[in-house]
Amino acid sequence: MAQPDSKKIFFENLSGAGKAIAVLTSGGDAQGMNAAVRAVVRMGLYVGAKVYFIHEGYQGMVDGGENIREATWESVSSMLQVGGTVIGSARCKEFRTHEGRLKAALNLVQRGITNLCVIGGDGSLTGANLFREEWSGLLTELVEQGSIEADAVQKYSALHIVGMVGSIDNDFCGTDMTIGTDSALHRIIEVVDAIMTTAQSHQRTFVLEVMGRHCGYLALVSALACGADWVLIPEMPPEDGWEDKMCQKLSATRSRGTRLNIIIVAEGAIDRHGKPITSSLVKDLVVKCLGFDTRVTILGHVQRGGTPSAFDRILASRMGVEAVLALLETTANTPACVVSLCGNQSVRLPLMECVQMTQEVQKAMDEKRFEEAVKLRGRSFENNLKTYKLLAHRKPESELPISNFNVAVLNVGAPAAGMNAAVRSAVRVGISEGHKMFAVNDGFEGFCKGQIKEIKWADVGGWTGQGGSLLGTKRTLPAKHVDKIADQMRKHNINALLVIGGFEALESLLQLYDARATYEEFCIPMGMLPATISNNVPGTDLSIGADTALNAIVEVRQLTCDRIKQSASGTKRRVFIIETMGGYCGYLASVGGLAAGADAAYIYEEPFDIRDLQANVEHLTEKMKTSIQRGLVLRNENSNENYTTDFIYQLYTEEGKGVFDCRKNVLGHMQQGGAPSPFDRNFGTKISAKAMQWISKKLVETFRQGRVFANTEDSCCLLGMRRRALVFQPVVQLKDETDFVHRIPKEQWWLKLRPLMKILAKYKTSYDVSDSGQLEHVMRNRPKELDASVAM
């Protein structure tokens, strides 16, 4: 089902002919930088521009020579999955001087380069902006020295700068996520998950120190993602007397039967007086006050290492393309911009506005205006902090509000990684709101059988990192058992319902909404959180579990390629045919293809025939003859009933004889299994907290004359992310947006990414840029209804 046509501007209309673009990475390295470089090079070449690498960052620009080399399509092959930056990064004192920038200007002019794509942190981007402002003066000076001809001043009159932020700390204001942050979180969570097993075995306390000299994002989000007992960050130092409070918290969790404690410390953590709080100080404190067996683990540069996550590969690829677009569209009066992420949308922001706000954060911290520093970090950071406090620190019973409402939570449909994090969040937020929380086992099948029991705060401890569904989940829809479910709701006096699941969850809520006419028991607030690896639920761009499934695809690609390199047949050219799940929804195949650098991805939404298959084989054969050693083809499981995975495998095998051989892999349920990714843990945790707060509000609004009665459309909603906004949408209003036969939305945003995957695989195709970012200004206080940062 193709995306309906709208007013479109296609990339063919934007020519890069005659333009020269240079790309460099500067400052600290970050996973995903190579994916960004790859996207800039290939999109630049696609539109006809000359593209140059600048090796070793600004040092290479100053030194010139072989450090500035023209890039080819093949020179970025096999870069996507490599961590760090293959073109190098270096600190450069000389570029900070006028003489150094003069040398750099000469080196660029000699190659006709007037478009610069800088991937780095705020220091690197500030340096680029200064270079841009001095550009015309530098050229005039070069003419006076006789280094360049006078007409060069007019010919190369303006230097255009576009930045992308590569930083694992996520310390740059104006973007929800920087390139490398998600991968760093993967490294941290891998360590925490490994530590937890030994900590439980020996009843230990672990103090984990993570990077973040000036920004506590990694510490805060990893604490959310693993359910840490305590977190210490520079933006919000603990109140005086925190030592006693922390030890009381640790002691209380141990007394409830917990065998381990996790404390996460950002390397820049301080107290209210500016005194550093080190990991060793925290360890000594715990040992002295509680006598717990305590160990310290300092992650250090391990957080920068390893391969980039699926999220970082996709983010970097999208940003790289957006950077080229911005350079093509820039004029002499366009300010230097930085490509940023807001919710699920790329935006362009004035570079110096972002830098100035980033500097304001540090100034506020230096002046001990910590509340202001948290707000300046942005709504994403602020929401992370609020959610962590809500879930990690239980109020005494005497301080809890008394609502007398009973709220049930259940999982419906296939399991998805992150479901347990969402349940934990719902239970704890519900208890904090004063509700009595009930867990339903095995979905609506268990509901009608009475598999309902109260669930307490401690019952969900350690759930965040667990895969699958600890409550159990079934695909059973409620329609056939609606009378029994109504009886159980009456028996347990259920006043609100939170359903976490995929397409079956949506169908279930629609059935319960229709049942309101017959059963008053369903005239209660009902909310739904989308949780499915297929990401096929209407009303949301993203679903809990989809990110973990994308990482499974990327890991299979990485594993198979690595094994070939190490085997005796490592010199052979090989194509992998991989079948993904998703039903009729091609999200995993398409976006997974972008993340893994696929050569083709076959999906139901974009019909294909034997001519398309043959063209793909021929295209791949030509590439194999000249450059690449490995190819990847993805096929969504229901993309075509006749062109099966076996058929495609046999076709590629036959047509590739003498050039490449083939291997196939059906991923199957491994995409649903395993520990949830940091993104899915955080996403599930935060949208579940938001949903429970919505339910609490609806319960108060609909409580009349001693009972809850809610029968309006807006009391039965799905919470989803749409572009930049998190929106509660009545499920009945989503019916018109849904193809119920194929269980997919009628319009799917990610279809616009498919041409990007094809362009990066060297196909000639149209790229719709009607959704490309427009230059905006940094918003200090984004309205709550437009807050999509909860997803990050």
Side-chain angles (χ1 to χ4, degrees):
M1 187 178 301
Q3 192 85 342
D5 281 340
S6 58
K7 184 181 178 183
K8 294 182 177 181
I9 308 167
F10 287 106
F11 212 86
E12 282 98 334
N13 299 330
L14 295 168
S15 174
K19 291 203 173 189
I21 299 171
V23 58
L24 71 128
T25 54
S26 179
D29 63 303
Q31 306 97 317
M33 278 183 165
N34 290 322
V37 170
R38 171 180 177 267
V40 170
V41 169
R42 291 195 167 176
M43 186 58 86
L45 294 173
Y46 178 80
V47 297
K50 270 191 175 183
V51 186
Y52 291 85
F53 292 133
I54 299 180
H55 290 266
E56 310 307 332
Y58 286 117
Q59 189 65 57
M61 193 190 298
V62 172
D63 294 343
E66 282 299 300
N67 289 302
I68 305 176
R69 286 180 243 163
E70 191 170 349
T72 65
W73 193 276
E74 290 74 22
S75 59
V76 293
S77 294
S78 303
M79 279 179 64
L80 183 63
Q81 69 273 18
V82 180
T85 165
V86 298
I87 61 173
S89 180
R91 309 287 179 189
C92 182
K93 290 183 180 178
E94 196 173 356
F95 188 74
R96 296 179 183 178
T97 67
H98 180 78
E99 292 74 17
R101 293 191 290 276
L102 193 65
K103 288 181 185 177
L106 175 61
N107 288 326
L108 295 187
V109 169
Q110 285 175 339
R111 293 163 179 81
I113 299 169
T114 56
N115 295 280
L116 206 55
C117 183
V118 180
I119 308 167
D122 62 331
S124 303
L125 298 179
T126 302
N129 190 66
L130 175 62
F131 190 40
R132 171 185 169 274
E133 290 174 345
E134 291 182 346
W135 181 256
S136 60
L138 293 171
L139 295 197
T140 301
E141 199 170 333
L142 288 170
V143 170
E144 291 170 355
Q145 292 177 356
S147 300
I148 60 174
E149 298 296 329
D151 63 350
V153 176
Q154 183 65 33
K155 188 176 180 181
Y156 306 117
S157 59
L159 178 67
H160 306 298
I161 302 285
V162 172
M164 287 183 275
V165 190
S167 165
I168 68 166
D169 292 333
N170 202 31
D171 56 353
F172 192 82
C173 293
T175 185
D176 287 344
M177 285 286 269
T178 57
I179 296 168
T181 302
D182 187 72
S183 300
L185 287 170
H186 273 258
R187 302 295 91 78
I188 295 169
I189 295 305
E190 285 165 7
V191 171
V192 173
D193 286 350
I195 279 174
M196 279 184 166
T197 57
T198 188
Q200 284 178 327
S201 300
H202 298 278
Q203 294 195 60
R204 283 181 177 150
T205 296
F206 270 89
V207 181
L208 192 73
E209 182 181 303
V210 302
M211 282 185 165
R213 194 177 306 124
H214 304 294
C215 178
Y217 184 89
L218 287 179
L220 181 56
V221 175
S222 57
L224 257 180
C226 72
D229 297 279
W230 204 267
V231 65
L232 294 156
I233 60 173
E235 289 88 349
M236 186 52 66
E239 300 289 346
D240 291 344
W242 65 272
E243 298 93 339
D244 291 337
K245 290 179 182 177
M246 183 184 74
C247 289
Q248 288 169 11
K249 167 79 187 300
L250 299 179
S251 181
T253 56
R254 284 291 177 96
S255 67
R256 290 195 292 267
T258 302
R259 293 179 59 84
L260 79 156
N261 299 109
I262 300 287
I263 301 166
I264 296 184
V265 183
E267 62 179 332
I270 54 173
D271 65 16
R272 288 272 158 178
H273 308 287
K275 181 182 176 182
I277 301 176
T278 64
S279 51
S280 57
L281 184 151
V282 174
K283 176 204 167 182
D284 293 343
L285 181 66
V286 174
V287 172
K288 180 182 176 182
C289 295
L290 300 175
F292 291 171
D293 185 3
T294 307
R295 299 285 192 274
V296 171
T297 298
I298 300 174
L299 266 65
H301 283 77
V302 116
Q303 294 156 92
R304 292 191 188 276
T307 60
S309 66
F311 183 96
D312 272 329
R313 298 180 192 204
I314 296 162
L315 174 67
S317 297
R318 292 176 69 182
M319 283 188 168
V321 168
E322 188 68 33
V324 173
L325 273 172
L327 286 171
L328 289 179
E329 295 171 7
T330 193
T331 65
N333 299 320
T334 306
C337 75
V338 61
V339 178
S340 300
L341 182 74
C342 179
N344 189 36
Q345 190 175 16
S346 296
V347 296
R348 302 175 196 169
L349 299 171
L351 189 154
M352 290 314 295
E353 284 187 22
C354 296
V355 169
Q356 285 159 11
M357 186 175 287
T358 304
Q359 292 170 347
E360 282 180 36
V361 175
Q362 189 58 50
K363 184 179 178 183
M365 289 164 62
D366 292 341
E367 296 174 357
K368 296 182 171 57
R369 293 180 282 114
F370 299 113
E371 297 282 351
E372 186 179 344
V374 169
K375 289 185 181 296
L376 286 169
R377 278 276 180 236
R379 294 201 63 87
S380 175
F381 191 93
E382 191 176 5
N383 285 340
N384 278 316
L385 186 57
K386 287 178 180 176
T387 306
Y388 176 77
K389 288 179 178 179
L390 197 61
L391 298 175
H393 303 294
R394 184 181 184 184
K395 294 179 181 177
E397 296 285 342
S398 58
E399 294 182 21
L400 291 175
I402 301 173
S403 71
N404 293 319
F405 293 126
N406 295 343
V407 181
V409 58
L410 69 159
N411 295 331
V412 176
M419 276 183 164
N420 296 320
V423 172
R424 170 184 176 269
S425 179
V427 168
R428 292 195 169 179
V429 173
I431 291 171
S432 297
E433 300 272 332
H435 310 319
K436 188 179 285 188
M437 298 299 296
F438 288 83
V440 182
N441 293 109
D442 295 336
F444 284 108
E445 187 174 311
F447 211 137
C448 70
K449 294 176 181 176
Q451 295 173 205
I452 305 166
K453 62 178 181 180
E454 187 178 355
I455 188 166
K456 303 281 192 176
W457 185 281
D459 294 336
V460 292
W463 280 35
T464 314
Q466 298 290 316
S469 167
L470 292 174
L471 289 184
T473 181
K474 295 286 181 70
R475 296 180 182 271
T476 306
L477 299 179
K480 292 182 180 179
H481 311 284
V482 70
D483 53 340
K484 293 179 181 177
I485 294 170
D487 288 341
Q488 292 296 333
M489 294 189 73
R490 189 164 51 250
K491 177 180 176 181
H492 292 90
N493 189 29
I494 302 299
N495 306 117
L497 202 60
L498 179 64
V499 181
I500 303 168
F503 203 87
E504 291 89 352
L506 175 67
E507 292 179 304
S508 296
L509 250 62
L510 287 168
Q511 290 177 3
L512 294 182
Y513 179 84
D514 291 340
R516 281 176 168 180
T518 310
Y519 299 92
E520 285 193 356
E521 287 80 5
F522 302 121
C523 293
I524 58 172
M526 294 186 284
M528 176 192 161
L529 300 179
T532 167
I533 68 165
S534 302
N535 200 32
N536 63 330
V537 177
T540 188
D541 289 354
L542 299 172
S543 300
I544 300 166
D547 183 74
T548 304
L550 289 174
N551 278 288
I553 294 169
V554 164
E555 287 163 11
V556 166
R557 160 74 158 170
Q558 187 73 22
L559 183 63
T560 49
C561 288
D562 284 350
R563 282 185 176 172
I564 288 171
K565 287 177 185 176
Q566 295 165 7
S567 72
S569 61
T571 55
K572 288 184 179 178
R573 292 183 170 91
R574 183 162 289 169
V575 174
F576 297 95
I577 314 293
I578 296 180
E579 181 183 299
T580 66
M581 295 180 76
Y584 286 96
C585 180
Y587 175 83
L588 287 180
S590 296
V591 182
L594 180 59
D599 297 280
Y602 301 113
I603 63 171
Y604 165 77
E605 293 93 340
E606 195 172 281
F608 59 95
D609 57 26
I610 194 64
R611 289 179 293 275
D612 298 311
L613 291 169
Q614 184 63 33
N616 293 154
V617 173
E618 291 171 358
H619 180 82
L620 192 51
T621 302
E622 287 303 309
K623 286 171 66 179
M624 285 284 189
K625 287 177 180 177
T626 57
S627 57
I628 65 170
Q629 294 290 315
R630 285 164 294 282
L632 177 67
V633 174
L634 298 179
R635 178 189 175 273
N636 171 242
E637 58 184 349
N638 288 345
S639 56
N640 188 292
E641 62 180 343
N642 294 315
Y643 299 134
T644 64
T645 301
D646 281 335
F647 178 90
I648 292 173
Y649 165 71
Q650 290 166 5
L651 175 67
Y652 273 74
T653 300
E654 179 63 29
E655 296 300 318
K657 280 182 178 178
V659 180
F660 60 82
D661 63 5
C662 290
R663 295 289 184 272
K664 68 175 176 178
N665 193 336
V666 178
L667 296 184
H669 287 81
M670 71 168 290
Q671 294 160 95
Q672 293 177 333
S677 67
F679 182 96
D680 278 329
R681 298 182 195 199
N682 195 23
F683 187 39
T685 295
K686 293 171 75 176
I687 66 168
S688 186
K690 192 175 184 74
M692 278 306 304
Q693 290 167 338
W694 174 83
I695 283 175
S696 295
K697 180 183 175 185
K698 287 295 178 184
L699 283 168
V700 172
E701 289 177 357
T702 58
F703 185 72
R704 298 288 183 273
Q705 299 177 342
R707 59 171 291 195
V708 173
F709 186 82
N711 65 348
T712 56
E713 288 185 359
D714 65 356
S715 64
C716 183
C717 287
L718 175 147
L719 174 58
M721 182 199 286
R722 287 198 149 175
R723 294 167 69 86
R724 303 189 193 187
L726 273 171
V727 185
F728 287 97
Q729 300 149 97
V731 292
V732 291
Q733 293 181 14
L734 295 175
K735 290 169 77 172
D736 290 340
E737 301 178 20
T738 307
D739 175 356
F740 284 95
V741 174
H742 298 100
R743 297 160 61 87
I744 56 175
K746 290 179 180 177
E747 293 188 19
Q748 302 187 85
W749 67 273
W750 51 264
L751 285 170
K752 290 186 177 181
L753 295 182
R754 281 185 60 79
L756 172 56
M757 182 195 73
K758 292 177 182 178
I759 287 170
L760 297 181
K762 212 173 183 179
Y763 284 91
K764 285 293 180 183
T765 187
S766 296
Y767 184 61
D768 177 7
V769 297
S770 59
D771 266 354
S772 64
Q774 301 300 317
L775 193 65
E776 304 176 9
H777 291 285
V778 179
M779 289 190 288
R780 290 176 179 268
N781 293 300
R782 190 180 299 153
K784 288 185 178 180
E785 63 271 17
L786 292 180
D787 173 34
S789 59
V790 72
M792 300 303 159

